[in-house]
């Protein structure tokens, strides 16, 4: 029977090998980080808007190059541009020069009469013929260089003010063919570059960051007092990738080396190391194939998370070799049969714990859950089916293993004595107070761990430029293009009141650049009437007969606008058709205080087709909701595990169950005592503890008084601690929260489990 299982598993492994060859030849790994985030199934248009804005922002690198005077700032900008241009395979300049402005002015010239600001609209509707005539006379004698067009085309100077309103979207202004601004005792040149690869696609190395740092060094070396301030999602993404890479190499390889050293000290043989390595390798290969078959694409971060199998999948091999030590090769079959019930029960609890991660609506977590569950199952089957056949040599008991196995007899055992009861009462009070002090905190901002220099540059750029944020915006819906633009206009009317109160700096909308056709007709009629009165007043005053210029008889359409040069700055905010409706995004500038967000949410109330979107708040709410769901799942999981243990161990099942319960409660209490927030990633760590921690009690109950079982538990605990617990040293807040929960829980459960072992002479069977 054993040989048949070994052959059957070999055929499965062969099929996996064939699939692996095909997979690596034809399939590419998914590197889009956004694919890991939850989708809003109730509002796919919100996801579409978020993705479009994020992809646009994910390619932009905004730089301000400054110096004490304008000539020095220009020289510094030249140096920075030269360095950035050398990375032409990685970066390309975005158009921010004055030629784009000239092209936009020419594009809009036939439609000048229907482009009015709200303030102009109010003034024209109430101004008297005398006021209009006086303004027109003043504009007539104004120097020609101060106007965008001749007097006949704009007798009231309306176009100049309209363009100034558009220019208010940024502090930068054209100067000597560059975009310039002044602030913080420096003259600045604005440079806009775009990464040729989205920042949300994980790459190899911090190439954009390295290029920007070379440009910074060159600016500081070439221009005394020169500065370069840079911000952009590519810089943040590369910093996060570099941090993750360093942590994976340091923590991952460090923990693997420590585990291998421990295995060598325990067994003093290469055979256990090689066979355990085979089980890990096959576990990862099967996990990858299963994941590729279940999901359309396998994400790169799934493989990164899958490296954590090193801390769990080798447990089955440890238990086998710990029990096999000191026994003749002929006893391999009986050893495996004796271990099989406990190992199968441990596998079930661990797989259930991993699959529980997939309950959350995060596609990334679901993929990681399937990968890990499949990998564990494959490692288990490798040990069960192949180890008895491949482990043919002798495996003597080492002095290290002998001493450690014997240490179980010196471990304190819980008993009904006053000292234990007092200790339990004190511990109960401490745990209760700690849990009472525990503070849930699901704000997404708490999970950000960006380098301080990037945050400083981002804040300085925000102060100088006032760039809009893609995290909060209004989504506007309509049955047609024109209805969307009209609803934008209604929304802007309400927002103008908040701008005047300085609640936020301003907004950027498609209708700023393209009014609805109805608005264009109204404005064209209003400006025609007002300018006719102004021209008549000028004619009466001067005795001349000037004529008003003619404009396009047709309105400016969306199709024509989007194909023109003026649409470049706003095109990403027009989402177009999604389903049966049209959508656009209105973005906000100067949102520096989160306290104003509720007032903005109120603006959307009562406006048909307008929805306020705060992705930070939505994801924070999602984290909170699933933290509670996963918390309830832990409680249900512990009940289910207890029932499973009772079916196997009867009245003694509590001995394997209670250490994990205490480990979870103590971990939560410690978080409460030290003021660490309770987050979803903390709870996810506790979910894994439920599956892994119970394993230790299972093996000690399965083999009471057997020192080899305690040795295997110790090896499993240390390897899990090294693989997961060291994530508590991570600079990434989410991984650190997860790692600290695993670290505290693992240590607690490992220390407590031997205290609940069976008294001498008792048996669970």
């Amino acid at each position: 029977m054993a040989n048949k299982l070994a052959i059957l598993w070999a055929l499965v492994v062969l099929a996996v090998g064939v699939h692996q060859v095909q997979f690596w030849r034809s399939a590419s790994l998914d590197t889009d980080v956004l694919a890991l985030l939850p989708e809003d199934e109730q509002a796919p248009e919100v996801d579409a808007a978020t993705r479009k804005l994020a992809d646009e922002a994910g390619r932009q690198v905004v730089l301000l190059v400054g110096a004490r005077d304008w000539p020095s700032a220009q020289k510094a900008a030249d140096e920075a541009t030269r360095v950035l241009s050398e990375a032409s395979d990685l970066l390309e300049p975005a158009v921010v020069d004055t030629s784009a402005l000239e092209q936009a002015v020419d594009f809009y010239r036939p439609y000048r009469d229907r482009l009015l600001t709200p303030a102009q609209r109010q003034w024209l509707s109430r101004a008297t013929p005398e006021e209009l005539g006086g303004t027109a006379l003043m504009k007539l004698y104004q120097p020609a260089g101060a106007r965008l067009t001749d007097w006949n085309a704009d007798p009231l100077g309306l176009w100049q003010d309209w363009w100034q309103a558009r220019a208010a979207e940024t502090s930068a202004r054209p100067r000597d063919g560059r975009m310039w601004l002044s602030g913080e005792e420096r003259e600045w040149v604005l440079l806009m570059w775009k990464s040729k690869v989205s920042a949300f696609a994980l790459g190899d190395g911090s190439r954009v960051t390295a290029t920007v740092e070379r440009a910074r060094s060159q600016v500081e070396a070439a221009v005394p007092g020169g500065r370069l301030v840079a911000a952009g999602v590519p810089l943040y993404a590369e910093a996060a990738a570099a941090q993750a890479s360093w942590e994976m190499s340091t923590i991952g390889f460090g923990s693997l080396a420590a585990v291998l050293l421990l295995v060598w000290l325990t067994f003093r043989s290469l055979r256990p190391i090689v066979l355990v390595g085979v089980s890990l390798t096959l576990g990862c290969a099967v996990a990858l194939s299963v994941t590729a078959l279940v999901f359309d694409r396998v994400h790169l971060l799934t493989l990164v998370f899958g490296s954590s199998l090193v801390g769990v999948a080798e447990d089955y091999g440890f238990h086998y070799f710990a029990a096999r030590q000191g026994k003749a090769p002929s006893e391999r079959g009986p050893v495996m049969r004796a271990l099989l019930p406990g190992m199968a029960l441990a596998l079930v609890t661990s797989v259930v714990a991993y699959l529980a991660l997939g309950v959350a609506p995060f596609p990334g977590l679901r993929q990681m859950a399937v990968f890990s569950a499949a990998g564990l199952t494959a490692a288990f089957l490798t040990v069960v089916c192949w180890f008895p056949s491949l482990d043919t040599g002798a495996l003597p008991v080492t002095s290290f293993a002998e001493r450690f196995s014997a240490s179980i007899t010196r471990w304190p055992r819980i008993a009904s004595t006053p000292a234990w009861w007092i200790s339990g009462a004190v511990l109960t009070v401490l745990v209760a107070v700690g849990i009472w002090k525990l503070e849930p905190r699901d704000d997404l901002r708490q999970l950000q761990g960006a380098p301080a220099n990037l945050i400083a540059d981002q804040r300085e750029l925000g102060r100088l430029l006032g760039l809009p944020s893609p995290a909060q915006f209004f989504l506007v819906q309509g049955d047609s293009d024109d209805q969307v633009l009209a609803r934008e206009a209604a929304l802007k009317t309400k927002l103008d009141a908040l701008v005047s109160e300085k609640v936020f700096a301003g907004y950027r909308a498609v209708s700023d650049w393209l009014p609805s056709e109805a608005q264009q007709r109204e404005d064209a009629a209003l400006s025609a009437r007002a300018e006719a009165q102004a021209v008549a007043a000028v004619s009466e005053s001067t005795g001349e007969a000037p004529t008003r210029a003619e404009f396009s008889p047709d309105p400016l359409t969306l199709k024509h606008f989007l194909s023109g040069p003026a649409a470049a700055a706003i095109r990403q905010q027009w989402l177009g058709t999604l389903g049966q409706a049209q959508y656009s995004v209105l973005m906000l500038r100067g949102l520096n205080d989160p306290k104003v967000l509720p007032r903005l949410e109120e603006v959307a109330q009562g406006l048909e087709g307008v929805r306020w979107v705060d992705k930070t708040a939505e994801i924070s709410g999602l984290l909170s909701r699933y933290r509670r769901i996963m918390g309830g799942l832990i409680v249900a999981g512990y009940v289910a595990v207890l029932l499973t243990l009772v079916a196997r161990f009867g009245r003694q099942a509590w001995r394997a169950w209670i250490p994990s319960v205490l480990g979870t409660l103590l971990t939560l209490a410690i978080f409460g005592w030290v003021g660490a927030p309770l987050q979803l990633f903390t709870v996810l760590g506790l979910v894994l503890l439920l599956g892994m921690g119970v394993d230790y009690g299972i093996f000690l109950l399965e083999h009471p008084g057997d020192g080899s079982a305690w040795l295997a538990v110790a090896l499993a605990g240390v390897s899990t601690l090294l693989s997961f617990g060291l994530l508590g040293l991570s600079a990434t807040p989410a991984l650190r929260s997860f790692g600290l929960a695993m670290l505290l829980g693992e240590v607690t459960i490992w220390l407590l489990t031997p205290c609940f072992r069976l008294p001498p002479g008792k048996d669970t069977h």
Side-chain angles (χ1 to χ4, degrees), residues 416-697:
S416 183
T417 63
W420 278 105
W421 282 110
I422 293 173
S423 300
V426 171
L427 185 63
T428 300
V429 172
L430 292 175
V431 167
V433 173
I435 293 178
W436 180 78
K437 291 166 67 70
L438 197 61
E439 180 184 353
R441 199 178 307 156
D442 301 294
D443 191 344
L444 182 63
R445 299 176 186 90
Q446 299 292 326
L447 301 179
Q448 296 175 346
N453 64 308
L454 284 181
I455 295 175
D457 275 11
Q458 181 74 48
R459 288 175 177 170
E460 187 169 2
L461 271 169
R463 289 195 306 269
L464 292 168
L465 287 174
L467 297 175
S469 167
Q472 291 89 20
F473 54 86
F474 287 96
L475 187 67
V476 184
Q477 171 190 350
D479 295 331
S480 64
D481 303 342
D482 224 43
Q483 189 177 60
V484 173
L485 296 172
R487 287 176 173 176
E488 274 195 7
L491 171 61
K492 291 190 298 183
T493 301
K494 298 184 71 172
L495 290 176
D496 286 337
L498 297 182
V499 174
S500 63
E501 296 177 27
K502 297 184 178 180
V503 174
F504 65 103
Y507 51 76
R508 190 173 74 185
V510 177
S511 55
D512 291 339
W513 299 84
L514 175 68
S516 67
E517 292 188 14
Q519 187 71 65
Q520 289 184 53
R521 287 191 294 270
E522 291 178 13
D523 288 351
L526 180 60
S527 65
R529 183 172 63 252
E531 289 175 3
Q533 294 176 346
V535 169
V538 169
S539 177
E540 183 179 347
S541 175
T542 63
E544 298 179 2
T547 58
R548 180 175 181 261
E550 294 184 359
F551 301 99
S552 172
D554 301 318
L556 177 59
T557 63
L558 177 71
K559 182 178 180 181
H560 186 35
F561 167 75
L562 291 177
S563 64
I570 204 76
R571 186 178 288 110
Q572 77 273 13
Q573 291 181 226
W574 184 260
L575 303 182
T577 304
L578 295 174
Q580 302 298 317
Q582 305 286 316
Y583 292 90
S584 73
V585 171
L586 186 145
M587 301 183 71
L588 305 170
R589 294 183 289 108
L591 275 182
N592 300 319
D593 185 3
K595 295 179 182 177
V596 307
L597 297 181
R599 295 191 63 182
L600 291 167
E601 186 175 5
E602 292 174 2
V603 169
Q605 297 173 3
L607 289 178
E608 188 176 1
V610 176
R611 171 175 175 170
W612 167 248
V613 177
D614 184 350
K615 290 304 294 183
T616 301
E618 285 185 14
I619 295 180
S620 297
L622 192 71
L623 293 174
S624 175
R625 185 164 73 252
Y626 278 90
R627 173 182 52 77
R628 294 191 295 271
I629 291 176
M630 299 302 283
L633 186 66
I634 289 178
V635 175
Y638 270 113
V639 173
V641 167
L642 179 60
L643 295 176
T644 304
L645 293 175
V646 168
R648 174 64 180 166
F649 301 117
R651 294 182 177 180
Q652 301 299 329
W654 66 275
R655 295 180 180 275
W657 183 76
I658 202 68
S660 293
V661 175
L662 292 176
T664 298
L665 295 177
L666 281 169
T667 299
L668 292 174
I670 293 172
F671 269 66
W673 276 107
V674 302
L678 179 64
Q679 301 168 338
L680 173 63
F681 294 94
T682 310
V683 178
L684 293 178
L686 299 179
V687 171
L688 288 188
L689 279 181
L690 165 62
M692 298 175 189
V694 171
D695 293 356
Y696 307 152

Side-chain angles (χ1 to χ4, degrees), residues 23 127 137 160 169 179 252 256 284 287 327 438 446 496 533 537 548 583 586 596 617 659 689 724 752:
F23 175 84
L137 277 172
Q160 191 90 13
E169 293 182 359
M179 297 303 291
L256 179 60
C284 290
K327 294 182 173 62
L438 197 61
Q446 299 292 326
D496 286 337
Q533 294 176 346
R548 180 175 181 261
Y583 292 90
L586 186 145
V596 307
L689 279 181
F724 284 103
L752 288 178

Side-chain angles (χ1 to χ4, degrees), residues 248-498:
M248 287 305 300
S249 60
T250 304
I251 296 175
F253 287 115
S255 63
L256 179 60
V259 169
L260 292 178
L261 176 62
L262 194 60
V263 173
W264 173 256
L265 290 174
T266 304
F267 301 112
R268 295 296 177 91
S269 172
L270 288 177
R271 192 167 65 256
I273 295 177
V274 171
L275 290 181
V276 169
V278 168
S279 69
L280 290 176
T281 302
L282 292 181
C284 290
V286 172
L288 179 58
S289 293
V290 171
T291 306
L293 293 173
V294 173
F295 299 92
D296 292 335
R297 291 170 64 86
V298 179
H299 201 283
L300 176 62
L301 288 184
T302 299
L303 300 185
V304 174
F305 183 84
S307 65
S308 65
L309 286 176
V310 172
V312 184
E314 80 275 22
D315 291 1
Y316 312 116
F318 287 164
H319 284 290
Y320 170 79
F321 283 111
R324 164 80 168 78
Q325 260 190 331
K327 294 182 173 62
S330 59
E331 297 184 49
R332 292 169 296 171
V335 166
M336 180 58 72
R337 286 191 291 273
L339 292 173
L340 193 56
M343 288 172 59
L345 189 57
L347 172 68
V348 170
T349 57
S350 296
V351 167
V352 168
Y354 269 114
L355 291 179
L357 298 180
V359 173
F362 291 80
L365 279 180
R366 289 175 176 170
Q367 196 171 112
M368 294 172 189
V370 170
F371 185 96
S372 300
L376 277 182
T377 304
F380 168 83
L381 291 174
T382 302
V383 171
V384 172
C385 298
W386 285 5
F387 275 30
S389 301
L390 299 176
D391 177 32
T392 56
L395 194 66
V397 178
T398 64
S399 58
F400 177 85
E402 189 174 23
R403 285 196 302 270
F404 200 93
S405 298
S407 68
I408 188 69
T409 59
R410 297 188 294 272
W411 213 271
R413 194 194 308 265
I414 194 169
S416 183
T417 63
W420 278 105
W421 282 110
I422 293 173
S423 300
V426 171
L427 185 63
T428 300
V429 172
L430 292 175
V431 167
V433 173
I435 293 178
W436 180 78
K437 291 166 67 70
L438 197 61
E439 180 184 353
R441 199 178 307 156
D442 301 294
D443 191 344
L444 182 63
R445 299 176 186 90
Q446 299 292 326
L447 301 179
Q448 296 175 346
N453 64 308
L454 284 181
I455 295 175
D457 275 11
Q458 181 74 48
R459 288 175 177 170
E460 187 169 2
L461 271 169
R463 289 195 306 269
L464 292 168
L465 287 174
L467 297 175
S469 167
Q472 291 89 20
F473 54 86
F474 287 96
L475 187 67
V476 184
Q477 171 190 350
D479 295 331
S480 64
D481 303 342
D482 224 43
Q483 189 177 60
V484 173
L485 296 172
R487 287 176 173 176
E488 274 195 7
L491 171 61
K492 291 190 298 183
T493 301
K494 298 184 71 172
L495 290 176
D496 286 337
L498 297 182

Side-chain angles (χ1 to χ4, degrees), residues 76-151:
D78 289 338
E79 292 294 332
T81 301
R82 181 181 60 79
V83 175
L84 295 172
S85 299
E86 293 173 355
S88 57
D89 62 324
L90 184 66
L91 293 167
E92 61 183 356
V95 178
V96 294
D97 56 23
T98 53
S99 63
L101 174 61
E102 294 170 358
Q103 293 172 15
V105 170
D106 291 337
F107 172 81
Y108 274 120
R109 201 178 299 278
Y111 310 100
R112 196 285 307 161
D113 63 327
R114 65 213 63 180
L115 301 175
L116 299 177
T117 67
Q120 289 173 336
R121 217 170 277 130
Q122 292 180 6
W123 179 65
L124 292 179
S125 62
R126 60 176 172 75
T128 64
E130 291 76 15
E131 290 176 323
L132 294 170
T135 301
L137 277 172
M138 181 184 68
K139 297 294 183 182
L140 177 63
Y141 295 114
Q142 188 180 44
R147 296 197 299 261
L148 284 175
T149 188
D150 58 66
W151 184 88

Side-chain angles (χ1 to χ4, degrees), residues 202-231:
L202 300 176
D204 52 341
S206 303
R207 299 177 61 200
V208 174
T209 302
T211 303
V212 170
E213 289 305 315
R214 285 199 303 273
R216 192 194 308 272
S217 300
Q218 185 61 32
V219 165
E220 293 173 353
V223 179
R227 282 201 65 206
L228 185 149
V229 181

